[in-house]
Amino acid sequence: MKISSTSAGLAVAVLGSLSFGTSGAFIKPLLEAGWSPTAAVTARVVIGGLVLLPVALVSLRGRWHALWRARWRVIVMAIVGVVITQVFYFAAIQTIPVATALLIELLAPLLLVGVAWATTRRIPRALVLIGSVFAVGGLLLVIGPGAIRAVDPVGLMFAFCAMIGCATYFVVAARPSDGLSPVAFAASGLVLGGLILGLLGVTGLLPLTATFGDLPLAGIELPWWVPLVIVAVVSTAIAYVAGITAAEALGSRLASFVSLLEVVFAALFAWLLLGEQLMPLQLLGGALILGGIAAVRAAGSTDEFPATSLEKLESPAFGAQVLETR
């Protein structure tokens, strides 16, 4: 599925943010029941990839050359966009507050603006700068001003690595598909990323524990697999396909700004399903994020992340460099 209009791309991007935003409300009961973050993430990624696999095979129609041409793009997505982002985020929250780690990771849109500024040597349009200010202000209000505090420098470094991984995800997702459907791209990246996460868990490099009892959710007791399946299908399979589709249509910068709505949806689902309080300041923060998105959209994409930089992601040399870092 390829989307040509900006309005349709925005709609799909919002769907992706909404889907990603459900993850916290459904993952939290698993973590509270004794699941390690690695186990929960590995399960959601593997199941999400397997759910997409049949649709991906149909979309390929035997055109395996399309997948082969995009092999380095898939590898970068799996290693950087899926594995590194998740691993470094959970490494960060071992020593710094979750709110702080989340705030830093979600500054990925500002990183893209900065890189585009540095590589094109053109100052971003005023609307982009205004939108960035609005978006950051909105993030602070939704996540909580307490996210800004003195923290452990190692945890801070891990959070910044997660931010780089998140930004890389949007850059890779926005690359022209060259015949590979978003479903096939998402499925291959998730399956490969899930296998790598599982290998890290099995070898003991990351903790891999799980429990299998009933869990409380929205006031009722449900089997452990219900929230896991919801996270895998909605927050992973649908979310990644929507995010990749939107990034191709909107470009990495605008798609990354729309993705900030994830924190707004996460707060809403936590209120609806977990009974967590929804503060007026969070609603104001959501409005500021919307204002930031509108400003960035109005600015256009003349200073978008340069295509010449994106082309490096599919070169064998770049792929070899990424693999060497592992």
Side-chain angles (χ1 to χ4, degrees):
M1 177 179 62
K2 186 174 180 61
I3 294 175
S4 57
S5 74
T6 302
S7 297
L10 285 170
V12 175
V14 172
L15 172 63
S17 297
L18 187 150
S19 301
F20 276 121
T22 63
S23 62
F26 290 102
I27 283 284
K28 187 174 181 179
L30 291 169
L31 298 179
E32 291 179 341
W35 283 64
S36 66
T38 306
V41 170
T42 302
R44 70 176 282 192
V45 169
V46 171
I47 296 173
L50 292 177
V51 166
L52 291 176
L53 198 55
V55 184
L57 293 174
V58 172
S59 72
L60 282 171
R61 298 186 182 91
R63 293 180 286 110
W64 298 104
H65 60 278
L67 184 60
W68 178 249
R69 283 199 306 268
R71 61 191 183 281
W72 295 116
R73 185 175 173 232
V74 171
I75 290 172
V76 173
M77 171 64 79
I79 295 177
V80 183
V82 177
V83 177
I84 286 181
T85 302
Q86 302 280 357
V87 169
F88 277 119
Y89 172 75
F90 286 116
I93 64 175
Q94 300 300 312
T95 58
I96 67 176
V98 172
T100 304
L102 185 60
L103 176 64
I104 293 172
E105 181 183 348
L106 292 178
L107 291 179
L110 297 190
L111 177 62
L112 293 179
V113 171
V115 171
W117 186 347
T119 53
T120 63
R121 297 183 180 180
R122 293 200 303 266
I123 298 176
R125 293 185 176 187
L127 282 173
V128 173
L129 298 177
I130 293 171
S132 299
V133 172
F134 276 26
V136 172
L139 275 177
L140 281 173
L141 291 179
V142 175
I143 296 175
I148 299 180
R149 64 180 73 177
V151 293
D152 176 66
V154 175
L156 197 64
M157 179 191 69
F158 286 147
F160 275 106
C161 289
M163 177 187 66
I164 293 171
C166 184
T168 302
Y169 159 75
F170 287 107
V171 172
V172 178
R175 184 75 174 117
S177 61
D178 196 20
L180 186 67
S181 69
V183 173
F185 181 40
S188 54
L190 287 173
V191 170
L192 179 58
L195 290 176
I196 296 172
L197 283 168
L199 187 61
L200 292 174
V202 170
T203 55
L205 294 176
L206 294 173
L208 201 65
T209 57
T211 59
F212 306 101
D214 290 344
L215 303 173
L217 184 66
I220 59 176
E221 294 287 326
L222 294 172
W224 62 272
W225 54 266
V226 172
L228 181 60
V229 169
I230 293 174
V231 167
V233 175
V234 178
S235 310
T236 308
I238 294 175
Y240 271 92
V241 172
I244 292 168
T245 303
E248 286 187 10
L250 303 176
S252 58
R253 187 179 65 194
L254 181 53
S256 67
F257 272 90
V258 178
S259 74
L260 298 180
L261 289 174
E262 176 187 341
V263 296
V264 180
F265 288 123
L268 289 173
F269 282 114
W271 172 57
L272 291 171
L273 298 176
L274 303 178
E276 295 185 6
Q277 192 172 6
L278 188 63
M279 305 296 292
L281 282 179
Q282 290 179 300
L283 297 177
L284 176 59
L288 285 175
I289 292 174
L290 285 173
I293 293 169
V296 171
R297 179 190 179 185
S301 58
T302 55
D303 54 353
E304 177 69 83
F305 196 92
T308 53
S309 299
L310 296 178
E311 289 170 358
K312 296 178 182 179
L313 295 172
E314 290 186 353
S315 69
F318 179 85
Q321 292 171 5
V322 171
L323 291 178
E324 287 173 3
T325 63
R326 298 299 298 162

